[in-house]
Amino acid sequence: MVKVRFAPSPTGKLHLGSLRTAIYNWLYAKHCNGKFVLRIEDTDLARSKKEYEDSIINDLKWLGMDYDEFYRQSDRFDVYRKYAEKLVLEGKAYYCTCSRDDILKRQNLSDNEEVYRYDGYCRNNTLKPDKPYVIRLKISEKILSFNDLVKKKISLDTKELDDFVILKQDGSPTYNFAVVVDDGEMGITHIIRGEDHITNTFKQLLVYEALNFKAPEFAHLPLVLGKDKKPLSKRLGSIDVEYYRKTGILPEALINAVARLGWGYENQEIFTIKDLIEKFDIKGLNRSNAIYDEDKIIFFNTKHIKMMKIDTLIKHFKEFLEATNLNLAGKMIDEKWLNFAIESIKDRHSTLKSLYDELLIFALEEIKIEKSVLEELNYLFSEKNMSLAYEKVKDYLIQIDINQIPGMEIENILRNIATEFNIKFGDLVRVLRIKLCGTNKSPDIITVIKLCGEIVKKRL
Ligand code: GLU
């Protein structure tokens, strides 16, 4: 059975690059009827924060990306220690008491040298030292290779590596050790992650071998770049899931857009989640870098707003209001109105925020008419008979129960009034639109009248 994992370090919010990794793993698990594990990699106790763990979990929930198993590495320090000690007993790892200074001095390196290699000084230590120590993996010289599912065959000469630390002085494991203990114990079959991990993969292969665990398949993803071809993570690190949620992007649209950053299926662009699950496969992953374009996200969102079932859209809309602390001037309680309103205007919008902005026009008690539109209104009123026609429309709309009278009937009356005063129906509509909406763009006028309901009387 396929079992994959998403293993974020809670040192920041869930940003676009990690989100893509999460999406591919989740889709692959779903596609194969396998299992998806969420593992919080918080071995770096100084940089990991509970608030980031919470926000990652929250984001996955919002995205509808459910997981079958959950682990937190800081709950498993005993497990890592046990495996590290076992490797020492087997002669595959050793205790090392060298300080950074010792290592640098022996190699005549300056104090501020950042990258240096361990020289193997403690390799033959078998006794547990009585002073602070780390545990290092004993590495033998050879050429390591693996067949990456995306990048094909990749090799590395272990001469380029040193006997790296697997357990730190404070008893916590290093990333490359913990990750293999976990992936091995948890039975992970495929690892899909960014290509920035390729060097780690070689180190991890050595740990798999030492622990006698079967290594999983690897699929390393090319980077996501900005339009300027620079790595996204460097410049736009701030683009996180929360940013999209607060701008009114739908989770389905975000998943669709991000999935397309480096994966494809024929020429298809728009996918529902069900569709993605059906069609996602590692074979479809691109070998070249992906380019991120915010306009593309808006494009996907527009399509998803259009095609989404109205109930689901309303559910997301309400969540959006909650997440952004917005409200619709008390209209939220009226479900029927909300349903009708969203159904009537949704196709004109690219984000939930712009949908909200337009809905507000129909929910507020008072609106402002913009100056440019006011000029248009004055011009329309300068037309012969427009004022008379308008007065008649106003009298009519004020005395009826707008919610009860069918839209067709209202439209007929308005058309008759236009004919009676010999003005264009279109011009009369323009006047009403500006009076009712404060702008010269809106859905058709009958929908506007229905959406405004009783407020029509006030606005006219
Ligand atoms: N915690 C690592 C990261 O966030 C996970 C890498 C991996 O998938 O092994 O980059």
Side-chain angles (χ1 to χ4, degrees):
M1 185 191 55
V2 164
K3 192 169 182 187
V4 290
R5 74 335 187 252
F6 173 49
S9 304
T11 52
K13 291 187 178 163
L14 184 56
H15 56 76
L16 202 104
S18 317
L19 173 63
R20 186 181 65 157
T21 302
I23 289 174
Y24 289 162
N25 281 287
W26 180 74
L27 287 175
Y28 192 55
K30 296 276 162 194
H31 175 79
C32 302
N33 263 322
K35 284 209 168 0
F36 178 63
V37 171
L38 174 63
R39 187 171 72 223
I40 300 294
E41 302 209 322
D42 57 349
T43 51
D44 184 343
L45 296 172
R47 288 176 59 229
S48 300
K49 291 214 170 76
K50 182 72 168 69
E51 68 184 85
Y52 293 132
E53 174 184 320
D54 292 344
S55 96
I56 293 168
I57 290 175
N58 204 20
D59 287 341
L60 292 179
K61 190 168 169 225
W62 173 70
L63 289 158
M65 292 169 59
D66 51 334
Y67 38 87
D68 303 289
E69 292 170 27
F70 175 83
Y71 302 93
R72 189 184 293 112
Q73 287 188 326
S74 60
D75 297 337
R76 294 170 49 79
F77 280 10
D78 289 350
V79 181
Y80 310 124
R81 168 165 283 281
K82 193 188 80 192
Y83 278 104
E85 296 284 359
K86 181 170 165 273
L87 291 183
V88 175
L89 271 179
E90 293 170 357
K92 295 173 179 170
Y94 58 90
Y95 301 114
C96 166
T97 51
C98 301
S99 68
R100 178 189 143 89
D101 277 358
D102 297 338
I103 304 169
L104 292 175
K105 226 181 263 160
R106 282 199 298 266
Q107 300 179 54
N108 285 328
L109 296 170
S110 92
D111 277 358
N112 35 30
E113 194 73 48
E114 297 231 347
V115 190
Y116 58 89
R117 274 199 219 161
Y118 184 61
D119 54 4
Y121 189 83
C122 293
R123 265 197 151 206
N124 299 318
N125 257 0
T126 44
L127 294 178
K128 196 173 242 181
D130 52 12
K131 57 180 188 174
Y133 63 85
V134 299
I135 296 182
R136 291 183 181 271
L137 189 72
K138 210 181 269 179
I139 288 176
S140 51
E141 279 191 19
K142 61 172 150 186
I143 306 290
L144 280 172
S145 319
F146 67 97
N147 279 314
D148 190 89
L149 296 175
V150 177
K151 311 213 150 246
K152 310 301 170 211
K153 188 168 172 171
I154 324 182
S155 309
L156 180 94
D157 191 332
T158 58
K159 274 199 203 119
E160 292 185 36
L161 305 173
D162 64 356
D163 286 354
F164 57 89
V165 175
I166 56 174
L167 206 75
K168 295 186 249 179
Q169 236 183 48
D170 62 5
S172 64
T174 55
Y175 157 69
N176 279 315
F177 187 61
V179 90
V180 175
V181 169
D182 286 347
D183 288 335
E185 273 211 334
M186 293 165 195
I188 300 300
T189 58
H190 295 74
I191 293 183
I192 307 171
R193 65 183 170 199
E195 67 175 24
D196 47 329
H197 280 291
I198 289 179
T199 319
N200 289 326
T201 301
F202 286 110
K203 291 186 177 178
Q204 291 168 21
L205 286 172
L206 292 167
V207 181
Y208 277 107
E209 201 180 287
L211 291 172
N212 284 326
F213 284 159
K214 182 176 177 298
E217 300 276 3
F218 292 93
H220 286 95
L221 308 165
L223 300 177
V224 182
L225 306 178
K227 273 200 240 173
D228 57 2
K229 306 274 165 76
K230 298 219 176 81
L232 197 65
S233 51
K234 301 260 162 13
R235 289 166 323 111
L236 297 166
S238 61
I239 304 194
D240 50 45
V241 172
E242 196 176 322
Y243 163 81
Y244 295 113
R245 177 162 65 214
K246 293 199 167 162
T247 23
I249 302 295
L250 293 167
E252 286 78 353
L254 188 58
I255 292 179
N256 185 169
V258 175
R260 285 287 291 114
L261 285 174
W263 171 83
Y265 182 85
E266 296 172 354
N267 288 328
Q268 193 172 340
E269 279 281 32
I270 308 298
F271 296 83
T272 60
I273 301 296
K274 195 167 155 266
D275 221 8
L276 280 174
I277 291 174
E278 210 173 288
K279 293 170 179 163
F280 182 83
D281 199 354
I282 292 179
K283 283 196 226 69
L285 291 171
N286 297 342
R287 295 181 69 180
S288 49
N289 293 332
I291 308 285
Y292 168 81
D293 175 356
E294 175 135 6
D295 297 343
K296 234 16 218 306
I297 304 238
I298 298 290
F299 161 80
F300 282 108
N301 208 44
T302 312
K303 299 279 186 191
H304 279 268
I305 288 180
K306 268 210 180 93
M307 69 191 208
M308 184 166 277
K309 284 216 317 256
I310 187 79
D311 293 352
T312 319
L313 184 62
I314 289 178
K315 181 183 124 263
H316 286 315
F317 182 71
K318 287 180 178 172
E319 278 170 9
F320 165 74
L321 293 189
E322 212 177 296
T324 47
N325 268 326
L326 294 172
N327 69 72
L328 269 177
K331 275 282 186 187
M332 284 303 294
I333 5 155
D334 190 343
E335 291 290 327
K336 231 177 104 197
W337 178 84
L338 191 67
N339 212 294
F340 171 57
I342 291 189
E343 184 80 270
S344 316
I345 66 168
K346 71 182 179 71
D347 287 0
R348 307 153 38 85
H349 293 279
S350 58
T351 66
L352 297 179
K353 173 70 170 70
S354 82
L355 184 73
Y356 165 81
D357 287 339
E358 188 170 11
L359 281 181
L360 210 51
I361 294 179
F362 307 113
L364 286 174
E365 283 295 309
E366 276 173 44
I367 45 155
K368 267 217 323 259
I369 301 183
E370 280 169 31
K371 205 167 151 244
S372 60
V373 191
L374 215 79
E375 277 161 24
E376 186 181 336
L377 189 64
N378 288 337
Y379 169 78
L380 287 162
F381 270 118
S382 69
E383 224 174 285
K384 193 168 167 238
N385 286 344
M386 181 58 86
S387 301
L388 294 172
Y390 176 71
E391 284 308 314
K392 189 149 186 182
V393 169
K394 197 164 113 182
D395 287 346
Y396 162 67
L397 288 176
I398 283 177
Q399 52 87 23
I400 61 167
D401 182 345
I402 290 173
N403 296 326
Q404 295 305 321
I405 311 247
M408 275 296 283
E409 192 178 323
I410 300 179
E411 183 172 338
N412 282 338
I413 306 262
L414 299 191
R415 283 188 186 277
N416 289 341
I417 294 175
T419 312
E420 178 187 341
F421 289 94
N422 199 22
I423 54 170
K424 283 197 205 127
F425 176 64
D427 285 351
L428 180 61
V429 165
R430 279 165 76 192
V431 168
L432 289 173
R433 174 169 288 135
I434 294 171
K435 284 276 190 183
L436 291 175
C437 305
T439 91
N440 50 14
K441 288 184 209 74
S442 79
D444 75 274
I445 199 66
I446 302 304
T447 303
V448 168
I449 291 172
K450 287 283 183 184
L451 282 175
C452 287
E454 284 303 296
I455 299 178
V456 165
K457 303 180 180 176
K458 244 189 163 150
R459 297 221 174 135
L460 293 187

